[in-house]
Each structure stands twice: as structure tokens, then as C-alpha cells.
Amino acid sequence: ILEEGTGGIIVFGVCHSTVNPNCDILLEVKKSGIPIVMVDTFLPNLNLDHVVSADFDGGYAIAEHFIKLGHHEIGYVCSPDKVTSIEARRVGFQKAMADNELLVRSKYILFIKDLPNHSDFTSEQYNSLLGSIKNLQGDLPTVFLCSNDRVAFFLYKVLIETGVKVPEQVVI
């Protein structure tokens, strides 16, 4: 790209970890003068233009909605990846809980490691989430918020497998 020339680069869905191998590549491209715009995430350690959703506000608003409906035991399911959009949604959820003087119970924060970029989850991921849900049986939150729709669908499948009625027992 640097040798052949280009008008600009749009980057989508990059983890923001400082050890991300994309950082070096993006820094080299930036130094070359080629414009870069990141979409749906950004790398805090690089000063690149970016376009993001109001992820914090979304996490806050959905938590606030369920709190106003009377839910006080709310969980969150996400990837542990350092993706700014996922982190912002989780932080928004946590802020809404704090603003309403509700405890975020760590056992209700569930992580799905190494989320794929498609709808298929590995048996290891499935069994891990299944184990987490089974460990919570009898003490499930009334709502699970999810970092995205793929995670919500995956959680739905696991809850159904364990005999949890959605949305009667747990809302997603």
C-alpha cells in the first residue's frame, strides 16, 4: 500500500491493546501521510481519526432501562478483548449500576475468550460459558446484558441448554 499509493485507509474492528501488532503497521502508514480512519474502535496510544458509536451511552441506557423496570441483579457477558467499543459498553453498564447504588456482582460478569468474527463458537467457549451458567444456577441475575448480538444469541443457546427460561427467568 505504501509503495503503490492509496488515497486513504479505513480500519474496522481492531483490538486496542498496546501489544497489538497492528499498532506498528498503522503507525508506519500514518507516518507516510496516508489518511487513516478507524471505525467502531480506536487505538488510544495512536492519534488516529476515528468514528465510533456512543457505546458508553448505550451501555448506560440499556442498564438504566432495566433498572427502571425493577431489575437490580444484572449481569454482563462479553469478550475480555481490549476492544474499545466492548469496554465502553461495559463501563456504561457499570456506571448506571453505580449511579443507582446497585452492586455489580463480579460473578455476574462473564467473559467469552477469543470471540470469532463470525457466528460460530468453539466447543471450548460453549463449555466454558455453560460451566459459568451452571455455577450460577439458583442465583442467576434477572437480566444479562451482552456486548453484542452474537454474544446474546450464544448466551441464549447456553441458557436454554441449562433449562433456564428466557425471558421468564432471565432476560437477555
Side-chain angles (χ1 to χ4, degrees):
I1 293 174
L2 294 177
E3 295 169 4
E4 296 181 23
T6 186
I9 297 175
I10 298 173
V11 180
F12 178 78
V14 179
C15 295
H16 86 241
S17 169
T18 55
V19 296
N20 188 318
N22 295 319
C23 288
D24 291 338
I25 295 167
L26 292 172
L27 189 56
E28 184 179 341
V29 171
K30 180 183 176 186
K31 286 179 182 176
S32 76
I34 296 173
I36 302 172
V37 175
M38 300 192 72
V39 177
D40 197 40
T41 191
F42 61 95
L43 296 164
N45 55 331
L46 297 179
N47 186 20
L48 299 175
D49 292 330
H50 54 273
V51 178
V52 295
S53 300
D55 293 303
F56 174 89
D57 294 340
Y60 190 99
I62 193 68
E64 184 81 3
H65 171 76
F66 283 110
I67 291 166
K68 285 181 179 176
L69 290 176
H71 296 277
H72 299 124
E73 298 292 331
I74 302 175
Y76 193 82
V77 184
C78 64
S79 161
D81 295 334
K82 300 294 184 188
V83 177
T84 53
S85 57
I86 290 173
E87 281 194 11
R89 291 176 200 141
R90 182 182 49 76
V91 171
F93 148 70
Q94 291 172 320
K95 176 77 168 125
M97 294 289 282
D99 286 354
N100 286 278
E101 299 179 358
L102 296 173
L103 180 65
V104 176
R105 297 174 67 182
S106 60
K107 69 179 181 178
Y108 291 162
I109 308 298
L110 306 179
F111 295 102
I112 303 172
K113 293 184 180 179
D114 303 319
L115 282 176
N117 291 324
H118 47 78
S119 60
D120 297 331
F121 290 88
T122 67
S123 59
E124 181 181 340
Q125 291 165 322
Y126 183 84
N127 290 332
S128 175
L129 187 57
L130 183 65
S132 295
I133 295 298
K134 284 183 176 179
N135 288 338
L136 291 174
Q137 288 294 359
D139 190 25
L140 287 166
T142 57
V143 174
F144 270 117
L145 304 181
C146 298
S147 59
N148 61 41
D149 55 345
R150 287 184 316 108
V151 170
F153 182 70
F154 185 53
L155 175 64
Y156 173 81
K157 288 170 45 174
V158 170
L159 288 170
I160 296 301
E161 169 89 12
T162 60
V164 175
K165 294 179 178 153
V166 179
E168 295 86 355
Q169 290 175 282
V170 176
V171 175
I172 300 175

mmCIF file of all heavy atoms in Angstrom, residues 62-84:
data_model
loop_
_atom_site.group_PDB
_atom_site.id
_atom_site.type_symbol
_atom_site.label_atom_id
_atom_site.label_comp_id
_atom_site.label_asym_id
_atom_site.label_seq_id
_atom_site.Cartn_x
_atom_site.Cartn_y
_atom_site.Cartn_z
ATOM 1 N N ILE A 62 -29.143 1.044 28.393
ATOM 2 C CA ILE A 62 -29.814 -0.250 28.499
ATOM 3 C C ILE A 62 -29.851 -0.722 29.949
ATOM 4 O O ILE A 62 -30.850 -1.271 30.412
ATOM 5 C CB ILE A 62 -29.195 -1.314 27.554
ATOM 6 C CG1 ILE A 62 -30.104 -2.545 27.442
ATOM 7 C CG2 ILE A 62 -27.805 -1.730 27.985
ATOM 8 C CD1 ILE A 62 -31.396 -2.313 26.744
ATOM 9 N N ALA A 63 -28.778 -0.475 30.698
ATOM 10 C CA ALA A 63 -28.785 -0.826 32.121
ATOM 11 C C ALA A 63 -29.835 0.002 32.859
ATOM 12 O O ALA A 63 -30.616 -0.531 33.663
ATOM 13 C CB ALA A 63 -27.402 -0.625 32.729
ATOM 14 N N GLU A 64 -29.862 1.286 32.578
ATOM 15 C CA GLU A 64 -30.835 2.185 33.208
ATOM 16 C C GLU A 64 -32.267 1.735 32.893
ATOM 17 O O GLU A 64 -33.146 1.774 33.768
ATOM 18 C CB GLU A 64 -30.592 3.620 32.719
ATOM 19 C CG GLU A 64 -31.460 4.662 33.353
ATOM 20 C CD GLU A 64 -30.974 5.120 34.727
ATOM 21 O OE1 GLU A 64 -29.917 4.680 35.197
ATOM 22 O OE2 GLU A 64 -31.688 5.932 35.328
ATOM 23 N N HIS A 65 -32.505 1.320 31.678
ATOM 24 C CA HIS A 65 -33.836 0.842 31.277
ATOM 25 C C HIS A 65 -34.270 -0.336 32.149
ATOM 26 O O HIS A 65 -35.393 -0.340 32.676
ATOM 27 C CB HIS A 65 -33.809 0.437 29.800
ATOM 28 C CG HIS A 65 -35.039 -0.269 29.342
ATOM 29 N ND1 HIS A 65 -36.229 0.389 29.101
ATOM 30 C CD2 HIS A 65 -35.270 -1.584 29.104
ATOM 31 C CE1 HIS A 65 -37.144 -0.488 28.716
ATOM 32 N NE2 HIS A 65 -36.589 -1.685 28.713
ATOM 33 N N PHE A 66 -33.402 -1.321 32.308
ATOM 34 C CA PHE A 66 -33.768 -2.498 33.093
ATOM 35 C C PHE A 66 -33.854 -2.183 34.587
ATOM 36 O O PHE A 66 -34.687 -2.756 35.299
ATOM 37 C CB PHE A 66 -32.821 -3.656 32.821
ATOM 38 C CG PHE A 66 -33.124 -4.328 31.505
ATOM 39 C CD1 PHE A 66 -32.255 -4.207 30.439
ATOM 40 C CD2 PHE A 66 -34.287 -5.053 31.333
ATOM 41 C CE1 PHE A 66 -32.542 -4.812 29.220
ATOM 42 C CE2 PHE A 66 -34.597 -5.660 30.130
ATOM 43 C CZ PHE A 66 -33.722 -5.541 29.067
ATOM 44 N N ILE A 67 -33.047 -1.265 35.057
ATOM 45 C CA ILE A 67 -33.138 -0.845 36.460
ATOM 46 C C ILE A 67 -34.495 -0.193 36.713
ATOM 47 O O ILE A 67 -35.166 -0.493 37.708
ATOM 48 C CB ILE A 67 -31.977 0.110 36.821
ATOM 49 C CG1 ILE A 67 -30.644 -0.651 36.816
ATOM 50 C CG2 ILE A 67 -32.223 0.774 38.170
ATOM 51 C CD1 ILE A 67 -29.414 0.243 36.828
ATOM 52 N N LYS A 68 -34.942 0.654 35.790
ATOM 53 C CA LYS A 68 -36.239 1.314 35.938
ATOM 54 C C LYS A 68 -37.395 0.314 35.875
ATOM 55 O O LYS A 68 -38.468 0.560 36.422
ATOM 56 C CB LYS A 68 -36.410 2.397 34.874
ATOM 57 C CG LYS A 68 -35.593 3.635 35.167
ATOM 58 C CD LYS A 68 -35.782 4.710 34.124
ATOM 59 C CE LYS A 68 -34.958 5.933 34.501
ATOM 60 N NZ LYS A 68 -35.021 6.982 33.503
ATOM 61 N N LEU A 69 -37.154 -0.827 35.211
ATOM 62 C CA LEU A 69 -38.178 -1.875 35.171
ATOM 63 C C LEU A 69 -38.165 -2.729 36.439
ATOM 64 O O LEU A 69 -38.966 -3.648 36.577
ATOM 65 C CB LEU A 69 -37.963 -2.781 33.948
ATOM 66 C CG LEU A 69 -38.259 -2.152 32.585
ATOM 67 C CD1 LEU A 69 -37.916 -3.120 31.463
ATOM 68 C CD2 LEU A 69 -39.731 -1.733 32.499
ATOM 69 N N GLY A 70 -37.239 -2.423 37.349
ATOM 70 C CA GLY A 70 -37.195 -3.124 38.631
ATOM 71 C C GLY A 70 -36.121 -4.184 38.760
ATOM 72 O O GLY A 70 -36.053 -4.877 39.774
ATOM 73 N N HIS A 71 -35.272 -4.319 37.770
ATOM 74 C CA HIS A 71 -34.184 -5.303 37.846
ATOM 75 C C HIS A 71 -33.004 -4.708 38.611
ATOM 76 O O HIS A 71 -32.566 -3.596 38.318
ATOM 77 C CB HIS A 71 -33.734 -5.710 36.438
ATOM 78 C CG HIS A 71 -34.796 -6.412 35.657
ATOM 79 N ND1 HIS A 71 -35.039 -7.757 35.786
ATOM 80 C CD2 HIS A 71 -35.691 -5.945 34.750
ATOM 81 C CE1 HIS A 71 -36.032 -8.097 34.976
ATOM 82 N NE2 HIS A 71 -36.442 -7.013 34.334
ATOM 83 N N HIS A 72 -32.516 -5.454 39.601
ATOM 84 C CA HIS A 72 -31.371 -4.991 40.380
ATOM 85 C C HIS A 72 -30.193 -5.942 40.301
ATOM 86 O O HIS A 72 -29.073 -5.563 40.638
ATOM 87 C CB HIS A 72 -31.775 -4.759 41.840
ATOM 88 C CG HIS A 72 -32.828 -3.713 41.972
ATOM 89 N ND1 HIS A 72 -34.036 -3.943 42.592
ATOM 90 C CD2 HIS A 72 -32.883 -2.434 41.536
ATOM 91 C CE1 HIS A 72 -34.775 -2.853 42.535
ATOM 92 N NE2 HIS A 72 -34.099 -1.915 41.896
ATOM 93 N N GLU A 73 -30.431 -7.160 39.902
ATOM 94 C CA GLU A 73 -29.372 -8.157 39.721
ATOM 95 C C GLU A 73 -29.138 -8.284 38.215
ATOM 96 O O GLU A 73 -29.864 -8.987 37.517
ATOM 97 C CB GLU A 73 -29.773 -9.505 40.323
ATOM 98 C CG GLU A 73 -29.996 -9.452 41.826
ATOM 99 C CD GLU A 73 -28.707 -9.210 42.603
ATOM 100 O OE1 GLU A 73 -27.627 -9.602 42.115
ATOM 101 O OE2 GLU A 73 -28.784 -8.624 43.701
ATOM 102 N N ILE A 74 -28.137 -7.571 37.726
ATOM 103 C CA ILE A 74 -27.889 -7.514 36.285
ATOM 104 C C ILE A 74 -26.481 -8.003 36.000
ATOM 105 O O ILE A 74 -25.523 -7.571 36.633
ATOM 106 C CB ILE A 74 -28.072 -6.072 35.755
ATOM 107 C CG1 ILE A 74 -29.498 -5.577 36.062
ATOM 108 C CG2 ILE A 74 -27.792 -6.013 34.253
ATOM 109 C CD1 ILE A 74 -29.755 -4.132 35.698
ATOM 110 N N GLY A 75 -26.377 -8.918 35.050
ATOM 111 C CA GLY A 75 -25.082 -9.443 34.637
ATOM 112 C C GLY A 75 -24.665 -8.871 33.296
ATOM 113 O O GLY A 75 -25.436 -8.188 32.619
ATOM 114 N N TYR A 76 -23.433 -9.181 32.930
ATOM 115 C CA TYR A 76 -22.895 -8.692 31.659
ATOM 116 C C TYR A 76 -22.019 -9.779 31.058
ATOM 117 O O TYR A 76 -21.175 -10.357 31.748
ATOM 118 C CB TYR A 76 -22.073 -7.418 31.893
ATOM 119 C CG TYR A 76 -21.738 -6.674 30.634
ATOM 120 C CD1 TYR A 76 -22.656 -5.807 30.058
ATOM 121 C CD2 TYR A 76 -20.517 -6.848 30.000
ATOM 122 C CE1 TYR A 76 -22.355 -5.121 28.888
ATOM 123 C CE2 TYR A 76 -20.219 -6.160 28.833
ATOM 124 C CZ TYR A 76 -21.134 -5.302 28.283
ATOM 125 O OH TYR A 76 -20.840 -4.635 27.128
ATOM 126 N N VAL A 77 -22.227 -10.072 29.783
ATOM 127 C CA VAL A 77 -21.447 -11.100 29.085
ATOM 128 C C VAL A 77 -20.726 -10.441 27.920
ATOM 129 O O VAL A 77 -21.342 -9.745 27.106
ATOM 130 C CB VAL A 77 -22.347 -12.247 28.566
ATOM 131 C CG1 VAL A 77 -21.507 -13.342 27.936
ATOM 132 C CG2 VAL A 77 -23.204 -12.807 29.687
ATOM 133 N N CYS A 78 -19.412 -10.663 27.859
ATOM 134 C CA CYS A 78 -18.611 -10.017 26.824
ATOM 135 C C CYS A 78 -17.312 -10.772 26.605
ATOM 136 O O CYS A 78 -17.015 -11.747 27.293
ATOM 137 C CB CYS A 78 -18.301 -8.574 27.204
ATOM 138 S SG CYS A 78 -17.288 -8.405 28.685
ATOM 139 N N SER A 79 -16.561 -10.291 25.679
ATOM 140 C CA SER A 79 -15.210 -10.787 25.422
ATOM 141 C C SER A 79 -14.256 -10.028 26.335
ATOM 142 O O SER A 79 -14.471 -8.849 26.613
ATOM 143 C CB SER A 79 -14.849 -10.517 23.964
ATOM 144 O OG SER A 79 -13.464 -10.564 23.786
ATOM 145 N N PRO A 80 -13.184 -10.684 26.799
ATOM 146 C CA PRO A 80 -12.194 -9.952 27.584
ATOM 147 C C PRO A 80 -11.233 -9.139 26.708
ATOM 148 O O PRO A 80 -10.346 -8.473 27.214
ATOM 149 C CB PRO A 80 -11.440 -11.070 28.320
ATOM 150 C CG PRO A 80 -11.518 -12.233 27.399
ATOM 151 C CD PRO A 80 -12.871 -12.106 26.714
ATOM 152 N N ASP A 81 -11.428 -9.210 25.380
ATOM 153 C CA ASP A 81 -10.561 -8.471 24.464
ATOM 154 C C ASP A 81 -10.625 -6.986 24.773
ATOM 155 O O ASP A 81 -11.657 -6.466 25.191
ATOM 156 C CB ASP A 81 -10.969 -8.706 23.004
ATOM 157 C CG ASP A 81 -10.775 -10.143 22.581
ATOM 158 O OD1 ASP A 81 -9.919 -10.832 23.172
ATOM 159 O OD2 ASP A 81 -11.493 -10.583 21.667
ATOM 160 N N LYS A 82 -9.561 -6.305 24.522
ATOM 161 C CA LYS A 82 -9.485 -4.873 24.798
ATOM 162 C C LYS A 82 -9.986 -4.070 23.602
ATOM 163 O O LYS A 82 -9.282 -3.252 23.047
ATOM 164 C CB LYS A 82 -8.051 -4.485 25.157
ATOM 165 C CG LYS A 82 -7.516 -5.195 26.369
ATOM 166 C CD LYS A 82 -8.271 -4.769 27.603
ATOM 167 C CE LYS A 82 -7.675 -5.410 28.832
ATOM 168 N NZ LYS A 82 -8.460 -5.179 30.006
ATOM 169 N N VAL A 83 -11.218 -4.323 23.215
ATOM 170 C CA VAL A 83 -11.841 -3.571 22.129
ATOM 171 C C VAL A 83 -12.576 -2.392 22.764
ATOM 172 O O VAL A 83 -13.369 -2.577 23.688
ATOM 173 C CB VAL A 83 -12.815 -4.459 21.329
ATOM 174 C CG1 VAL A 83 -13.519 -3.667 20.241
ATOM 175 C CG2 VAL A 83 -12.082 -5.659 20.747
ATOM 176 N N THR A 84 -12.297 -1.208 22.305
ATOM 177 C CA THR A 84 -12.823 -0.007 22.957
ATOM 178 C C THR A 84 -14.351 0.015 22.996
ATOM 179 O O THR A 84 -14.927 0.461 23.985
ATOM 180 C CB THR A 84 -12.290 1.265 22.277
ATOM 181 O OG1 THR A 84 -12.552 1.200 20.878
ATOM 182 C CG2 THR A 84 -10.799 1.423 22.521
#
